[in-house]
């Protein structure tokens, strides 16, 4: 599979913003991925595999986040990450439980 | 947001006795009650809400740190405190390490922004290894208060 570099901007619709569970879910997806993930908020750029970095995003509901991925599964991993920012419980559980 | 904006200094504990997750949460919530920040009649409801949140996934975020939290209708502003455990508590943390440092947060139902800014401050400050180590080694409430004030004054690296 060839290397890809993709980015996507989205609005956080989870009423609680990017909180601990969101950050944990992002980290879980990023760790399973073979691509480098960056999550960018208005105040911070976080590495997708670093929970501490992700918690520093401080992104509330209604704010815009940019996701960047570089690697062989870049497009696929952004498809998996984007729904996490809705706060949908099914998506969060799937992200956290999937091995 | 600085620690002084959300940490209740009177409720800081440098000598947590509990050795398990529920015991630690109960002890920290009790310290907020003893400091007059929580109505005694709301204590059990708050503990249960925090434990319920933990069932969804541990707030032990690694490096010996946990951020147990909940929203609760009995508070009208973000309420938080710090507790240190010398022996460490099994908190089923993301990295499997025992937790020595707790930041417990209780938020009003309608103020998620303050909660996020508090988390941002905690994660930014505790990334500094020196600050994190000093907090875990703190032997008194006064030590912890001093360290938090120094962090608020940007005296650590981050």
């Amino acid at each position: 599979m060839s290397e890809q570099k993709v980015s996507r901007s989205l609005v956080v619709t989870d009423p609680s913003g990017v909180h601990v569970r969101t950050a944990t879910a992002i980290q879980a997806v990023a760790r399973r991925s073979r691509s480098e993930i960056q999550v960018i908020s208005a105040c911070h750029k976080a590495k997708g595999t670093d929970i501490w970095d992700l918690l520093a995003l401080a992104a509330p509901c209604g704010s815009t986040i940019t996701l960047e991925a570089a690697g062989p599964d870049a497009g696929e991993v952004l498809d998996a990450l984007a729904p996490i920012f809705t706060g949908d419980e099914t998506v969060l559980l799937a992200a956290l439980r999937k091995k | 947001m600085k620690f002084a904006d959300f940490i209740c200094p009177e409720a800081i504990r440098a000598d947590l006795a509990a050795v398990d997750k529920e015991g630690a949460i109960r002890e920290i919530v009790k310290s907020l009650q003893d400091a007059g920040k929580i109505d005694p009649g709301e204590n059990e409801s708050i503990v249960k809400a925090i434990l319920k949140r933990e069932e969804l996934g541990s707030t032990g975020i690694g490096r010996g740190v946990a951020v147990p939290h909940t929203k609760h209708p009995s508070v009208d502003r973000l309420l938080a405190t710090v507790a240190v455990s010398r022996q460490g508590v099994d908190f089923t943390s993301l990295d499997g390490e025992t937790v020595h440092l707790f930041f417990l947060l209780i938020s009003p139902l309608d103020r998620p922004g303050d909660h996020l800014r508090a988390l941002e401050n905690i994660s930014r400050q505790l990334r500094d290894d020196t600050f994190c180590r000093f907090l875990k080694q703190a032997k008194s409430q006064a030590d912890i208060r001093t360290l938090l004030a120094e962090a608020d004054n940007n005296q650590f690296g981050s």
Side-chain angles (χ1 to χ4, degrees):
Chain A
M1 193 184 291
S2 61
E3 290 284 313
Q4 304 172 60
K5 189 169 184 180
V6 292
S7 72
R8 188 183 304 177
S9 290
L10 55 87
V11 174
V12 178
T13 53
D14 183 333
S16 297
V18 179
H19 50 101
V20 176
R21 286 191 80 210
T22 322
T24 309
I26 296 165
Q27 183 195 40
V29 172
R31 281 186 169 177
R32 289 194 295 269
S33 166
R34 289 169 290 142
S35 300
E36 290 284 324
I37 314 293
Q38 302 280 346
V39 185
I40 304 156
S41 72
C43 66
H44 192 70
K45 183 172 187 173
K47 193 173 176 184
T49 51
D50 186 333
I51 185 84
W52 294 78
D53 226 5
L54 293 165
L55 288 176
L57 288 168
C61 182
S63 65
T64 299
I65 286 279
T66 300
L67 302 172
E68 292 180 353
D73 60 352
E76 189 183 318
V77 76
L78 289 201
D79 287 343
L81 286 170
I84 290 173
F85 295 87
T86 65
D88 183 286
E89 189 62 23
T90 309
V91 172
L92 288 174
L93 284 173
L96 292 166
R97 285 181 180 165
K98 198 171 173 183
K99 297 292 181 191
Chain B
M1 182 180 271
K2 292 177 179 284
F3 286 123
D5 296 325
F6 64 97
I7 298 291
C8 169
E10 302 89 351
I12 291 171
R13 291 286 306 272
D15 54 353
L16 211 57
V19 293
D20 62 15
K21 179 181 278 198
E22 179 170 345
I25 288 167
R26 286 191 179 280
E27 202 173 336
I28 301 168
V29 173
K30 180 69 163 52
S31 72
L32 282 164
Q33 179 189 318
D34 292 344
K37 300 294 180 183
I38 286 175
D39 183 334
E42 301 290 350
N43 181 311
E44 188 61 23
S45 169
I46 291 170
V47 166
K48 283 184 173 158
I50 295 171
L51 288 171
K52 192 174 176 187
R53 165 60 187 84
E54 289 294 326
E55 285 174 10
L56 297 173
S58 177
T59 60
I61 54 175
R63 298 162 58 102
V65 179
V67 286
H69 60 269
T70 190
K71 293 175 185 167
H72 200 270
S74 68
V75 301
D76 58 9
R77 61 182 292 269
L78 176 62
L79 190 57
T81 195
V82 181
V84 175
S85 164
R86 301 266 168 74
Q87 69 272 33
V89 175
D90 179 0
F91 221 74
T92 55
S93 293
L94 298 177
D95 63 359
E97 287 188 24
T98 56
V99 169
H100 292 269
L101 197 49
F102 296 87
F103 285 79
L104 184 141
L105 302 106
I106 307 166
S107 303
L109 301 182
D110 58 349
R111 303 267 289 275
D114 287 348
H115 176 77
L116 293 179
R117 284 187 286 277
L119 284 177
E120 187 267 341
N121 183 59
I122 291 166
S123 61
R124 186 168 46 81
Q125 296 287 4
L126 290 174
R127 285 185 77 92
D128 184 274
D129 289 336
T130 304
F131 178 58
C132 199
R133 188 173 69 250
F134 281 4
L135 266 183
K136 289 175 186 172
Q137 293 171 345
K139 290 186 167 45
S140 68
Q141 187 189 86
D143 285 353
I144 297 171
R145 284 190 191 210
T146 300
L147 286 164
L148 296 179
E150 287 175 356
D152 278 348
N153 290 320
N154 301 313
Q155 291 178 31
F156 292 94
S158 56

